[in-house]
Amino acid sequence: MQKIIIANWKMQKTDQEAITWCNTNKEELNKLIENRLKIAICPSFSALDRIGTIIKNTQIKLGAQDCCPQERGAYTGDISALSLKEINCSYCIVGHSERRKYQCETDEIIAQKAEMLFKNNITPILCIGESQVEEITDGKFKTLEHQLNLTVNKAYAAKKKLYIAYEPSWAIGSGQVPSVESLYKTVNWIQNYITLYFHGLDYSLLYGGSVNESTIQDILNVHDIEGFLLGGASLDFQTLKKIVLLL
Ligand code: PGA
Protein backbone atom coordinates (compact mmCIF):
# COMPACT_ATOMS: atom_id res chain seq x y z
CA MET A 1 0.00 0.00 0.00
CA GLN A 2 1.32 3.43 -0.95
CA LYS A 3 1.80 5.47 2.23
CA ILE A 4 1.06 9.18 2.45
CA ILE A 5 2.71 11.93 4.45
CA ILE A 6 0.94 15.21 5.06
CA ALA A 7 3.33 17.93 6.22
CA ASN A 8 1.25 20.39 8.23
CA TRP A 9 3.43 23.44 8.63
CA LYS A 10 0.77 25.31 10.61
CA MET A 11 2.02 28.90 11.14
CA GLN A 12 5.55 27.75 11.89
CA LYS A 13 7.27 29.11 8.78
CA THR A 14 7.02 32.53 7.18
CA ASP A 15 6.25 32.47 3.46
CA GLN A 16 9.87 33.22 2.67
CA GLU A 17 11.08 30.37 4.90
CA ALA A 18 8.61 27.97 3.31
CA ILE A 19 9.67 29.01 -0.18
CA THR A 20 13.37 28.63 0.64
CA TRP A 21 12.69 25.16 2.12
CA CYS A 22 10.93 24.06 -1.05
CA ASN A 23 13.53 25.53 -3.38
CA THR A 24 16.34 23.88 -1.45
CA ASN A 25 14.78 20.45 -0.91
CA LYS A 26 12.29 19.77 -3.68
CA GLU A 27 14.67 17.77 -5.92
CA GLU A 28 15.82 15.50 -3.13
CA LEU A 29 12.32 15.08 -1.76
CA ASN A 30 11.04 14.26 -5.22
CA LYS A 31 13.70 11.54 -5.58
CA LEU A 32 12.72 10.11 -2.21
CA ILE A 33 9.12 9.85 -3.32
CA GLU A 34 9.98 7.83 -6.46
CA ASN A 35 6.42 6.69 -7.11
CA ARG A 36 6.44 4.71 -3.88
CA LEU A 37 4.68 7.18 -1.59
CA LYS A 38 2.71 10.41 -1.58
CA ILE A 39 3.75 13.61 0.13
CA ALA A 40 1.75 16.80 0.45
CA ILE A 41 3.08 20.05 1.86
CA CYS A 42 0.59 22.31 3.63
CA PRO A 43 2.06 25.79 4.11
CA SER A 44 0.19 28.97 5.09
CA PHE A 45 -2.46 30.20 2.64
CA SER A 46 -0.33 33.15 1.54
CA ALA A 47 2.50 30.85 0.38
CA LEU A 48 0.35 28.24 -1.35
CA ASP A 49 0.38 29.67 -4.85
CA ARG A 50 4.13 30.29 -4.95
CA ILE A 51 4.94 26.90 -3.46
CA GLY A 52 2.61 25.32 -5.98
CA THR A 53 4.72 26.86 -8.74
CA ILE A 54 7.98 25.67 -7.17
CA ILE A 55 6.84 22.04 -6.87
CA LYS A 56 4.95 22.03 -10.15
CA ASN A 57 7.04 19.47 -12.03
CA THR A 58 7.61 17.18 -9.08
CA GLN A 59 5.51 14.47 -7.41
CA ILE A 60 5.13 16.65 -4.30
CA LYS A 61 1.51 17.66 -3.80
CA LEU A 62 0.05 20.86 -2.43
CA GLY A 63 -2.31 20.91 0.54
CA ALA A 64 -4.14 23.66 2.41
CA GLN A 65 -4.63 23.80 6.16
CA ASP A 66 -8.28 24.86 6.02
CA CYS A 67 -10.99 26.36 3.80
CA CYS A 68 -14.24 28.31 4.05
CA PRO A 69 -17.45 26.30 4.59
CA GLN A 70 -19.23 28.53 2.04
CA GLU A 71 -18.87 28.60 -1.71
CA ARG A 72 -18.35 32.37 -2.12
CA GLY A 73 -19.72 35.62 -0.74
CA ALA A 74 -19.31 38.07 2.13
CA TYR A 75 -16.99 36.02 4.35
CA THR A 76 -14.16 38.38 5.24
CA GLY A 77 -10.84 36.67 5.71
CA ASP A 78 -11.92 33.29 4.39
CA ILE A 79 -10.48 31.31 1.48
CA SER A 80 -12.81 29.26 -0.71
CA ALA A 81 -12.31 25.70 -1.90
CA LEU A 82 -12.75 27.09 -5.39
CA SER A 83 -9.69 29.33 -4.94
CA LEU A 84 -7.73 26.36 -3.61
CA LYS A 85 -8.71 24.42 -6.70
CA GLU A 86 -7.51 27.24 -8.97
CA ILE A 87 -4.02 26.96 -7.50
CA ASN A 88 -4.01 23.15 -7.79
CA CYS A 89 -4.38 22.10 -4.18
CA SER A 90 -4.88 18.36 -4.03
CA TYR A 91 -5.64 18.11 -0.31
CA CYS A 92 -7.07 20.23 2.47
CA ILE A 93 -7.01 19.57 6.22
CA VAL A 94 -10.35 20.10 7.96
CA GLY A 95 -11.25 19.89 11.63
CA HIS A 96 -7.73 20.09 13.00
CA SER A 97 -7.92 20.14 16.80
CA GLU A 98 -6.24 23.56 16.87
CA ARG A 99 -9.05 24.98 14.74
CA ARG A 100 -11.70 23.19 16.79
CA LYS A 101 -10.11 24.72 19.89
CA TYR A 102 -9.09 28.23 18.82
CA GLN A 103 -11.71 28.94 16.14
CA CYS A 104 -14.53 27.03 17.89
CA GLU A 105 -15.20 24.96 14.79
CA THR A 106 -18.13 22.59 15.09
CA ASP A 107 -18.65 19.26 13.32
CA GLU A 108 -21.38 20.94 11.23
CA ILE A 109 -18.97 23.60 9.95
CA ILE A 110 -16.29 20.99 9.29
CA ALA A 111 -18.72 18.85 7.28
CA GLN A 112 -19.69 21.90 5.20
CA LYS A 113 -16.03 22.53 4.45
CA ALA A 114 -15.64 18.93 3.33
CA GLU A 115 -18.66 19.33 1.08
CA MET A 116 -17.08 22.36 -0.61
CA LEU A 117 -13.87 20.40 -1.10
CA PHE A 118 -15.68 17.43 -2.66
CA LYS A 119 -17.38 19.82 -5.07
CA ASN A 120 -13.97 21.04 -6.17
CA ASN A 121 -12.29 17.65 -6.30
CA ILE A 122 -9.95 18.37 -3.41
CA THR A 123 -9.48 15.50 -0.96
CA PRO A 124 -10.27 16.50 2.62
CA ILE A 125 -8.13 15.23 5.47
CA LEU A 126 -10.58 15.06 8.34
CA CYS A 127 -8.87 15.27 11.73
CA ILE A 128 -10.55 13.54 14.63
CA GLY A 129 -9.29 12.79 18.12
CA GLU A 130 -10.18 12.79 21.75
CA SER A 131 -8.90 15.02 24.54
CA GLN A 132 -7.00 13.65 27.51
CA VAL A 133 -10.12 13.84 29.69
CA GLU A 134 -12.20 11.94 27.13
CA GLU A 135 -9.46 9.31 26.93
CA ILE A 136 -9.49 8.83 30.69
CA THR A 137 -13.25 8.99 31.18
CA ASP A 138 -14.12 6.59 28.37
CA GLY A 139 -15.77 9.32 26.32
CA LYS A 140 -13.34 8.72 23.47
CA PHE A 141 -15.47 6.70 21.06
CA LYS A 142 -18.50 8.94 21.55
CA THR A 143 -16.30 11.90 20.58
CA LEU A 144 -14.87 10.10 17.56
CA GLU A 145 -18.35 9.12 16.43
CA HIS A 146 -19.55 12.74 16.58
CA GLN A 147 -16.48 13.99 14.77
CA LEU A 148 -16.81 11.39 12.03
CA ASN A 149 -20.52 11.25 11.43
CA LEU A 150 -21.40 14.38 9.46
CA THR A 151 -18.29 14.56 7.30
CA VAL A 152 -18.27 10.85 6.50
CA ASN A 153 -21.91 11.25 5.51
CA LYS A 154 -20.90 13.95 3.01
CA ALA A 155 -18.13 11.77 1.57
CA TYR A 156 -20.50 8.84 1.28
CA ALA A 157 -23.16 10.93 -0.46
CA ALA A 158 -20.60 12.48 -2.82
CA LYS A 159 -18.92 9.08 -3.41
CA LYS A 160 -15.54 10.72 -2.87
CA LYS A 161 -12.32 9.68 -1.21
CA LEU A 162 -11.78 10.83 2.37
CA TYR A 163 -8.66 10.75 4.49
CA ILE A 164 -9.37 10.31 8.18
CA ALA A 165 -6.50 11.41 10.41
CA TYR A 166 -6.73 10.12 13.95
CA GLU A 167 -4.94 12.70 16.08
CA PRO A 168 -5.62 12.59 19.82
CA SER A 169 -5.38 16.24 20.87
CA TRP A 170 -3.24 15.25 23.87
CA ALA A 171 -0.64 13.76 21.51
CA ILE A 172 -0.22 16.84 19.32
CA GLY A 173 3.08 18.56 20.02
CA SER A 174 3.40 16.79 23.39
CA GLY A 175 5.91 14.07 22.55
CA GLN A 176 3.38 11.47 23.72
CA VAL A 177 1.77 8.92 21.41
CA PRO A 178 -0.88 6.27 22.08
CA SER A 179 0.32 2.73 22.69
CA VAL A 180 0.19 0.29 19.77
CA GLU A 181 -2.58 -1.59 21.59
CA SER A 182 -4.66 1.53 21.93
CA LEU A 183 -4.03 2.41 18.26
CA TYR A 184 -5.16 -1.04 17.14
CA LYS A 185 -8.32 -0.64 19.17
CA THR A 186 -9.06 2.80 17.73
CA VAL A 187 -8.31 1.79 14.14
CA ASN A 188 -10.56 -1.24 14.57
CA TRP A 189 -13.30 0.87 16.02
CA ILE A 190 -13.15 3.35 13.10
CA GLN A 191 -13.12 0.52 10.54
CA ASN A 192 -16.11 -1.18 12.17
CA TYR A 193 -18.00 2.09 12.38
CA ILE A 194 -17.48 2.79 8.67
CA THR A 195 -18.36 -0.77 7.66
CA LEU A 196 -21.52 -0.66 9.73
CA TYR A 197 -22.86 2.71 8.63
CA PHE A 198 -21.00 3.67 5.45
CA HIS A 199 -20.15 0.41 3.79
CA GLY A 200 -18.15 0.91 0.58
CA LEU A 201 -16.77 4.35 1.55
CA ASP A 202 -13.42 5.08 -0.10
CA TYR A 203 -11.22 6.17 2.80
CA SER A 204 -7.73 5.88 4.22
CA LEU A 205 -6.65 6.13 7.82
CA LEU A 206 -3.77 8.32 8.92
CA TYR A 207 -2.25 8.92 12.31
CA GLY A 208 -0.99 12.27 13.61
CA GLY A 209 0.37 13.59 16.90
CA SER A 210 4.06 13.67 17.89
CA VAL A 211 5.18 11.46 15.01
CA ASN A 212 8.96 11.51 14.67
CA GLU A 213 11.65 9.06 13.59
CA SER A 214 11.49 7.23 16.94
CA THR A 215 7.75 7.22 17.71
CA ILE A 216 6.87 6.12 14.18
CA GLN A 217 8.67 2.77 14.60
CA ASP A 218 5.94 1.25 16.78
CA ILE A 219 3.09 2.89 14.89
CA LEU A 220 4.31 1.30 11.66
CA ASN A 221 3.26 -2.05 13.12
CA VAL A 222 -0.35 -0.96 12.83
CA HIS A 223 -0.62 -1.86 9.17
CA ASP A 224 -4.00 -0.31 8.51
CA ILE A 225 -2.57 3.13 9.19
CA GLU A 226 -1.83 4.28 5.65
CA GLY A 227 -0.06 7.51 6.42
CA PHE A 228 0.97 10.21 8.82
CA LEU A 229 0.08 13.80 9.52
CA LEU A 230 3.31 15.44 10.63
CA GLY A 231 3.58 18.75 12.40
CA GLY A 232 6.90 19.49 14.09
CA ALA A 233 8.78 16.65 12.40
CA SER A 234 8.03 17.98 8.92
CA LEU A 235 9.66 21.36 9.42
CA ASP A 236 13.27 20.25 9.18
CA PHE A 237 14.11 18.48 5.94
CA GLN A 238 16.64 16.06 7.46
CA THR A 239 14.10 14.93 10.07
CA LEU A 240 11.42 14.52 7.43
CA LYS A 241 13.85 12.57 5.26
CA LYS A 242 14.59 10.10 8.10
CA ILE A 243 10.86 9.44 8.42
CA VAL A 244 10.35 9.09 4.68
CA LEU A 245 13.17 6.53 4.52
CA LEU A 246 11.38 4.40 7.10
CA LEU A 247 8.27 4.08 4.92
P1 PGA B 1 2.85 17.31 15.78
O1 PGA B 1 1.52 17.92 15.10
O2 PGA B 1 3.39 16.30 14.82
O3 PGA B 1 3.76 18.50 15.96
O4 PGA B 1 2.43 16.70 17.07
C1 PGA B 1 0.66 17.13 14.38
C2 PGA B 1 -0.54 17.90 13.94
O5 PGA B 1 -0.97 18.82 14.68
O6 PGA B 1 -1.09 17.68 12.87
Side-chain angles (χ1 to χ4, degrees):
M1 160 211 319
Q2 209 184 36
K3 292 246 184 329
I4 180 162
I5 287 187
I6 307 290
N8 176 13
W9 283 354
K10 310 189 181 186
M11 206 177 69
Q12 303 282 19
K13 288 184 191 291
T14 64
D15 289 2
Q16 205 44 61
E17 286 164 354
I19 287 164
T20 304
W21 191 104
C22 288
N23 274 325
T24 313
N25 302 310
K26 68 167 180 186
E27 302 290 350
E28 194 174 348
L29 187 56
N30 193 40
K31 279 203 193 103
L32 289 171
I33 296 174
E34 259 180 24
N35 294 317
R36 66 180 183 94
L37 66 145
K38 291 185 199 157
I39 295 188
I41 301 233
C42 308
S44 300
F45 279 129
S46 47
L48 273 172
D49 196 13
R50 280 174 290 169
I51 288 192
T53 307
I54 295 169
I55 60 177
K56 198 168 180 182
N57 296 316
T58 70
Q59 292 181 40
I60 308 163
K61 301 285 184 202
L62 193 62
Q65 298 176 16
D66 189 41
C67 73
C68 180
Q70 312 297 336
E71 194 146 14
R72 66 165 76 223
Y75 302 100
T76 305
D78 263 333
I79 312 280
S80 70
L82 189 58
S83 290
L84 297 179
K85 185 69 214 165
E86 281 180 357
I87 54 166
N88 296 319
C89 270
S90 305
Y91 302 96
C92 179
I93 299 169
V94 291
H96 191 282
S97 71
E98 285 149 15
R99 293 206 62 88
R100 291 179 191 265
K101 182 172 162 195
Y102 301 125
Q103 319 297 330
C104 305
E105 285 190 4
T106 62
D107 293 315
E108 285 76 13
I109 289 176
I110 293 160
Q112 270 175 266
K113 292 180 181 202
E115 193 174 16
M116 290 302 138
L117 294 167
F118 290 134
K119 269 193 175 177
N120 288 285
N121 290 320
I122 298 170
T123 305
I125 298 151
L126 169 68
C127 298
I128 59 167
E130 79 286 356
S131 65
Q132 192 113 57
V133 176
E134 287 157 348
E135 160 90 349
I136 296 164
T137 58
D138 263 10
K140 169 173 162 175
F141 293 113
K142 263 253 109 15
T143 300
L144 298 186
E145 186 171 347
H146 277 138
Q147 293 175 340
L148 279 170
N149 187 269
L150 295 176
T151 299
V152 173
N153 237 305
K154 300 280 187 197
Y156 195 67
K159 297 191 172 55
K160 298 275 184 163
K161 167 96 182 180
L162 178 67
Y163 280 94
I164 298 171
Y166 172 58
E167 298 204 299
S169 58
W170 54 267
I172 295 174
S174 67
Q176 289 178 283
V177 293
S179 66
V180 170
E181 263 177 319
S182 154
L183 273 176
Y184 265 120
K185 202 171 153 193
T186 309
V187 164
N188 259 326
W189 183 89
I190 296 171
Q191 289 172 328
N192 289 338
Y193 173 81
I194 304 271
T195 309
L196 193 61
Y197 299 107
F198 303 98
H199 191 72
L201 178 81
D202 183 9
Y203 73 103
S204 296
L205 278 175
L206 315 186
Y207 170 79
S210 294
V211 175
N212 57 40
E213 75 248 46
S214 333
T215 57
I216 201 171
Q217 312 264 358
D218 282 345
I219 307 172
L220 282 171
N221 292 319
V222 187
H223 296 297
D224 287 342
I225 292 179
E226 292 182 38
F228 299 91
L229 187 43
L230 306 181
S234 67
L235 298 171
D236 170 62
F237 179 69
Q238 293 309 323
T239 310
L240 176 65
K241 181 174 166 182
K242 282 185 197 149
I243 294 172
V244 169
L245 290 173
L246 291 170
L247 301 182

